[in-house]
Amino acid sequence: MNNVDQEFKILAIDGGGIRGAFPAAYLDYIESQTGKPVYQYFDLIVGTSTGGIVSLALGFGVPAKEILNLYCEKGKDIFSKRSLRWFQNGYLLSKYRNNTLIREVKAVFGDKTLEEAKCRVCIPSIDLACGKNRVFKTRHSDDYFHDYKIPAWQFAIATASAPTYFPAFSDPDNCYFADGGFWANNPSLVGISEAIKLGYNSNCIKLLSIGTGNYPFQISKKRARLGLVFWGSKLVHLAFNSQTEAACNMAKYFLKNRYKRIDCPLAKEIKLDGTSGINELISKAQSEGKSSYKEVEKMFLQSLTTPFNQEDTYDFKTVI
């Protein structure tokens, strides 16, 4: 296909555990100003980990306010520690079970498959069975003929299964997956690559990237010299933070002024399971919404995108 001269707008949402309350609250502000669902303004939504859950929900037309309520009302239940203190730090077992997370995500998506999404969606994860990166996708290309048949909640859990925090997610086919944040915590490059794969010129790509709060990674010199047990979940934070910064810098390099990053500095670290920080994240999101709305409106909200219909995009009857 040749879409070289057409504008292609991407929304990319970072991973960050409970800090997903920030992009959910920010997008709720956007929807309150436009009066329309976010997905109607973007050609592609891509999200990782907690951002994958938000992205999938947006792709199905779920209002951002309802997504925010998931963090506010169910966050403490999802991050409810195991009863045995010895196992609570993720050294021998994952810090949390995933049964509550699965239950709440199923409540959002039910039995819907990606075939029912209203927007193109890409969700990064890691296939642990073969040690390869994986991106789950709607069937927006004629060679994507597998993922769209699978319930969306499975992709949400697969991308959000951060090692040491949650166990790997096993699907009915006995494949097992971990958090995509290890290679695409900021999934901007996934979105850019997908647009180019679909035939769009990089000069026509615009990308709105939303973070989950920025706090510099820190570890003491003494701890940095010790082994795996003493690093603990710090390794997860380091991988996520490093990838996020790298992706942001490269996306800016590729797209220049067509890349807009929304994030907020945090006065203190809010960990992936730091439910006590939700109100701070919401407050910062609302403040950021007010200060950045005019620029975001000018770049991304001037016109609605062409409605995405998976049945009309390609002749999938020819694909086995």
Side-chain angles (χ1 to χ4, degrees):
M1 73 192 75
N2 185 4
N3 301 309
V4 65
D5 295 324
Q6 297 181 30
E7 180 181 75
F8 193 85
K9 294 184 292 184
I10 304 169
L11 172 62
I13 305 176
D14 285 14
I18 200 66
R19 300 200 309 267
F22 176 84
Y26 182 85
L27 293 169
D28 176 42
Y29 180 86
I30 295 297
E31 289 188 340
S32 72
Q33 297 301 303
T34 64
K36 295 184 181 297
V38 164
Y39 79 86
Q40 293 187 5
Y41 292 97
F42 292 91
D43 298 285
L44 170 67
I45 302 178
V46 54
T48 304
S49 192
T50 193
I53 296 174
V54 175
S55 296
L56 280 166
L58 293 173
F60 282 96
V62 178
K65 183 176 291 294
E66 291 186 20
I67 305 171
L68 178 59
N69 288 340
L70 176 66
Y71 292 91
C72 296
E73 298 175 5
K74 304 298 182 180
K76 290 184 178 180
D77 293 334
I78 291 171
F79 292 105
S80 178
K81 290 185 177 180
R82 296 176 184 270
S83 59
L84 297 177
R85 291 180 180 273
W86 182 257
F87 298 136
Q88 285 185 358
N89 290 322
Y91 295 142
L92 300 180
L93 294 175
S94 60
K95 197 172 182 181
Y96 306 101
R97 296 183 177 89
N98 64 2
N99 54 319
T100 303
L101 177 62
I102 291 174
R103 184 184 70 233
E104 298 304 333
V105 168
K106 278 186 174 181
V108 174
F109 297 106
D111 295 324
K112 292 180 179 177
T113 65
L114 284 186
E115 188 174 20
E116 301 171 68
K118 301 175 183 294
C119 177
R120 299 175 187 85
V121 176
C122 288
I123 306 295
S125 184
I126 300 176
D127 185 341
L128 296 175
C130 59
K132 292 184 178 181
N133 298 337
R134 177 72 188 274
V135 181
F136 304 112
K137 304 176 182 182
T138 47
R139 53 178 190 169
H140 51 263
S141 179
D142 54 4
D143 54 346
Y144 300 164
F145 55 88
H146 177 265
D147 295 346
Y148 79 95
K149 303 176 183 177
I150 299 173
W153 71 265
Q154 294 187 23
F155 300 136
I157 302 300
T159 190
S161 296
T164 75
Y165 286 91
F166 292 108
F169 172 68
S170 298
D171 69 12
D173 295 325
N174 292 320
C175 296
Y176 46 106
F177 301 92
D179 197 314
F182 279 100
W183 70 277
N185 197 60
N186 174 345
S188 294
L189 298 180
V190 175
I192 294 170
S193 299
E194 192 68 18
I196 293 174
K197 193 267 183 187
L198 292 174
Y200 292 89
N201 191 309
S202 61
N203 292 328
C204 298
I205 298 172
K206 293 182 178 180
L207 195 151
L208 175 62
S209 172
I210 305 181
T212 56
N214 177 28
Y215 186 82
F217 175 84
Q218 296 175 318
I219 190 169
S220 68
K221 182 177 180 181
K222 180 179 179 180
R223 189 171 181 179
R225 297 174 64 183
L226 298 175
L228 179 62
V229 170
F230 294 93
W231 274 78
S233 61
K234 282 283 189 179
L235 281 175
V236 177
H237 296 182
L238 175 60
F240 288 8
N241 284 16
S242 299
Q243 192 286 325
T244 295
E245 182 178 359
C248 186
N249 290 337
M250 285 186 279
K252 288 179 181 178
Y253 178 82
F254 290 135
L255 301 185
K256 298 180 173 60
N257 62 352
R258 298 184 306 282
Y259 179 80
K260 174 64 178 176
R261 176 72 171 171
I262 299 293
D263 207 353
C264 67
L266 299 176
K268 61 180 181 179
E269 182 181 14
I270 299 177
K271 296 183 178 180
L272 302 185
D273 53 354
T275 55
S276 62
I278 290 177
N279 289 336
E280 178 185 349
L281 291 163
I282 294 174
S283 176
K284 287 182 175 293
Q286 293 171 340
S287 176
E288 182 62 32
K290 293 175 182 177
S291 63
S292 65
Y293 179 76
K294 290 296 184 183
E295 184 178 358
V296 170
E297 180 186 37
K298 183 178 180 180
M299 288 183 67
F300 301 98
L301 309 178
Q302 293 297 305
S303 61
L304 301 178
T305 58
T306 302
F308 173 57
N309 189 322
Q310 299 185 61
E311 291 295 337
D312 295 340
T313 304
Y314 298 97
D315 181 11
F316 290 96
K317 293 179 181 179
T318 64
V319 180
I320 298 177

